[in-house]
Amino acid sequence: EPEVTQTPSHQVTQMGQEVILRCVPISNHLYFYWYRQILGQKVEFLVSFYNNEISEKSEIFDDQFSVERPDGSNFTLKIRSTKLEDSAMYFCASSPQGPSPETQYFGPGTRLLVL
Amino acid sequence: RKEVEQDPGPFNVPEGATVAFNCTYSNSASQSFFWYRQDCRKEPKLLMSVYSSGNEDGRFTAQLNRASQYISLLIRDSKLSDSATYLCVVDEYGGSQGNLIFGKGTKLSVKP
């Protein structure tokens, strides 16, 4: 069964450094999402992406964040200058049609720790 | 502010028990409703969608009350493998954008 993959599984970085989190959505999917989950808290929507542009973003997704689909398979989330409060699990999701809340498939996540 | 509220639990039940989770949501525009399951340090996985008429999938039954903005999940004959956190999820924009709003989750622990 096809699945969303994410790399790395864990990332440790120093405050102020840039990080890039990578996702490979399921191949025929058209809509892509990033969510984050701070330890012990709820999953929060960050951004949705369709047709090479952002469809919607939350108030969390400020100027420090950006997303890109650099080629036909990868979908990346960049945090330009990490803060301590960026420490969280970051989940990528994709859906085959959209916008579709019904069929979002989540990747296993990248655990980011900012020191 | 659009919110989904759940009882955090934990619910500690013996195998074979029936357990019910409840959830309320604040956004009356939401059109799609779901229960996800999340195991410790793993990604959320869709358990079932919730329809206005109520729906059942094996031991799991979900109900929706739009007037009260209330969603429920009933698990019958609990198994040890049901131990997880159950997330109530609604769509933010009535299906027009696909963004999901998650509750904080209700933790279930099924004991032998």
Side-chain angles (χ1 to χ4, degrees), chain B residues 36-69:
Chain B
Y36 276 71
R37 172 196 168 122
Q38 186 174 30
D39 293 287
C40 188
R41 297 179 177 265
K42 299 286 190 181
E43 73 274 24
K45 290 189 175 175
L46 179 65
L47 180 65
M48 59 196 302
S49 300
V50 188
Y51 304 115
S52 295
S53 54
N55 48 300
E56 190 174 306
D57 183 2
R59 298 180 293 109
F60 299 85
T61 300
Q63 297 277 352
L64 168 65
N65 184 323
R66 284 185 185 268
S68 303
Q69 294 181 197

Side-chain angles (χ1 to χ4, degrees), chain B residues 9-50:
Chain B
F11 283 54
N12 297 308
V13 303
E15 268 187 293
T18 295
V19 61
F21 304 137
N22 303 316
C23 160
T24 58
Y25 61 96
S26 63
N27 182 16
S28 58
S30 293
Q31 295 295 321
S32 301
F33 311 92
F34 312 93
W35 284 100
Y36 276 71
R37 172 196 168 122
Q38 186 174 30
D39 293 287
C40 188
R41 297 179 177 265
K42 299 286 190 181
E43 73 274 24
K45 290 189 175 175
L46 179 65
L47 180 65
M48 59 196 302
S49 300
V50 188

Side-chain angles (χ1 to χ4, degrees), chain A residues 33 35 37 40-43 45 48 55-56 59 89 91 99 101-102 104 106-108 111, chain B residues 1 3 32 34 36 38 41-44 46 91 93 95-100 102-104:
Chain A
Y33 306 84
Y35 294 83
Q37 186 175 31
Q41 298 191 26
K42 61 185 178 182
V43 177
F45 167 77
S48 58
S55 301
E56 191 68 31
E59 59 194 21
M89 182 75 103
F91 294 109
E102 281 84 1
Q104 288 186 33
F106 283 76
R111 185 168 296 281
Chain B
R1 187 181 175 93
E3 298 283 352
S32 301
F34 312 93
Y36 276 71
Q38 186 174 30
R41 297 179 177 265
K42 299 286 190 181
E43 73 274 24
L46 179 65
D91 73 289
Y93 291 109
S96 65
Q97 296 291 339
N99 311 352
L100 298 176
F102 285 76
K104 202 171 174 183

Side-chain angles (χ1 to χ4, degrees), chain A residues 18-74:
Chain A
E18 174 183 288
V19 294
I20 297 176
L21 310 183
R22 291 184 167 79
C23 169
V24 179
I26 296 172
S27 64
N28 63 343
H29 285 194
L30 301 177
Y31 271 72
F32 314 112
Y33 306 84
W34 283 101
Y35 294 83
R36 79 168 186 192
Q37 186 175 31
I38 295 170
L39 188 64
Q41 298 191 26
K42 61 185 178 182
V43 177
E44 298 173 290
F45 167 77
L46 292 178
V47 66
S48 58
F49 191 86
Y50 171 72
N51 200 25
N52 284 319
E53 60 183 26
I54 290 174
S55 301
E56 191 68 31
K57 58 184 181 180
S58 72
E59 59 194 21
I60 301 169
F61 194 89
D62 62 22
D63 292 344
Q64 293 298 312
F65 290 87
S66 62
V67 288
E68 195 178 29
R69 187 154 162 83
D71 53 43
S73 60
N74 289 284

